[in-house]
Amino acid sequence: MKDEQLLRYSRQIMLPGAGVEGQQRLLQAHAVIMGLGGLGSPVAAYLAAAGVGHLTLVDPDHVEVTNLQRQILHTDADIGRDKVVSAAARVAAMNPACRVETHAEHLDAEAMRHLFATADVVLDGTDNFAARGAISRAALATGTPLVSGAVIRFEGQITTFDYREADAACYHCLYGEGGGDEDTCATNGVLASLPGVVGSLQATEALKLLMGLPTLSGRLLILDGLAMQFREIRLRRDPACPVCSPHHAPA
């Protein structure tokens, strides 16, 4: 590791369980961020700042004025631009050494599997059940760990599905067919700062995973932003899950 890198990441290198080896793992890591909105913005910023060497940003949407209340990588000057273009510019300004690739389109299942197979971790910052389910299926098929976050109103959730583990629960084990795509920030609202809280926790999970530290795998963390309380529930694989059970495993 170069002297400049030792200085830049010194506050992280000194952490127990991290060290130079852990930082080197970050520098060599590839993270895919699905969605560059309220959750994806802090995820991309903190992963780049922490020294993750390769980020792939995926989002088909353009920046709109209603995004600016919470999607902190974008500004008024970015309205109408592809979100991945705006986000990539901010990431490059934060850490020029970070290699950034962008996909400004919807990825089908095959494209996601191809991309995820090259990644060390996938972070889901999308805002609907259909997208989250498709992302989980692709990550499960490639055995790529998935850090999943969600926010709505004053509430947030986060967990890590470590699909390298044979008995890991999947997204479908937890949510089934989901609550419908009407349950979004666009229809229910969200406190401006809450995606920042959950997105920062997602970045924390990814950094720990990449450095080989313990994660939330097997646990779901739930945040009540009004009461400012966290609670945790255990996640177990559903033996009858149509997505991840051995009898229904992806081909």
Side-chain angles (χ1 to χ4, degrees):
M1 190 179 296
K2 299 178 181 178
D3 289 345
E4 179 184 346
Q5 293 172 318
L6 289 171
L7 179 61
R8 185 182 188 109
Y9 305 116
S10 60
R11 300 302 187 271
Q12 193 160 263
I13 290 172
M14 68 176 62
L15 293 173
V20 172
E21 181 180 352
Q23 188 62 49
Q24 192 66 48
R25 292 178 69 171
L26 294 183
L27 293 170
Q28 296 171 349
H30 176 201
V32 175
I33 304 172
M34 303 295 291
L36 275 301
L39 295 172
S41 288
V43 165
Y46 277 113
L47 294 191
V52 175
H54 181 187
L55 298 181
T56 297
L57 313 180
V58 182
D59 196 314
D61 293 336
H62 300 88
V63 179
E64 300 178 2
V65 67
T66 55
N67 302 149
L68 303 181
Q69 165 250 12
R70 65 199 179 280
Q71 300 183 15
I72 58 173
L73 284 186
H74 315 299
T75 69
D76 279 89
D78 298 314
I79 294 174
R81 298 176 75 189
D82 290 340
K83 285 186 179 180
V84 292
V85 172
S86 172
R90 300 293 180 277
V91 167
M94 294 179 65
N95 191 347
C98 182
R99 175 187 170 196
V100 181
E101 296 182 31
T102 61
H103 294 271
E105 68 272 352
H106 285 285
L107 300 184
D108 61 21
E110 182 179 357
M112 282 195 288
R113 288 195 298 269
H114 179 76
L115 176 59
F116 294 176
T118 70
D120 298 293
V121 64
V122 176
L123 297 106
D124 184 359
T126 58
D127 65 353
N128 64 82
F129 283 101
R132 292 173 189 155
I135 291 167
S136 177
R137 284 175 168 85
L140 176 65
T142 58
T144 309
L146 170 65
V147 182
S148 179
V151 292
I152 196 167
R153 296 180 291 267
F154 296 94
E155 305 157 13
Q157 297 183 357
I158 177 176
T159 191
T160 294
F161 300 104
D162 194 342
Y163 293 137
R164 299 171 301 181
E165 301 173 355
D167 61 346
C170 77
Y171 184 87
H172 197 278
C173 292
L174 177 59
Y175 293 107
E177 296 303 323
D181 287 346
E182 70 276 5
D183 295 326
T184 66
C185 294
T187 56
N188 290 271
V190 63
L191 185 68
S193 57
L194 191 64
V197 175
V198 175
S200 296
L201 291 173
Q202 285 184 267
T204 301
E205 280 292 285
L207 293 173
K208 291 189 300 173
L209 185 147
L210 294 171
M211 290 192 289
L213 299 173
T215 71
L216 273 171
S217 180
R219 296 176 290 151
L220 175 69
L221 192 64
I222 301 171
L223 167 62
D224 180 340
L226 269 181
M228 199 52 73
Q229 293 179 340
F230 286 91
R231 62 187 179 95
E232 179 184 296
I233 63 172
R234 283 283 176 183
L235 298 183
R236 290 182 173 84
R237 186 177 188 177
D238 179 359
C241 177
V243 174
C244 72
S245 75
H247 298 296
H248 300 91

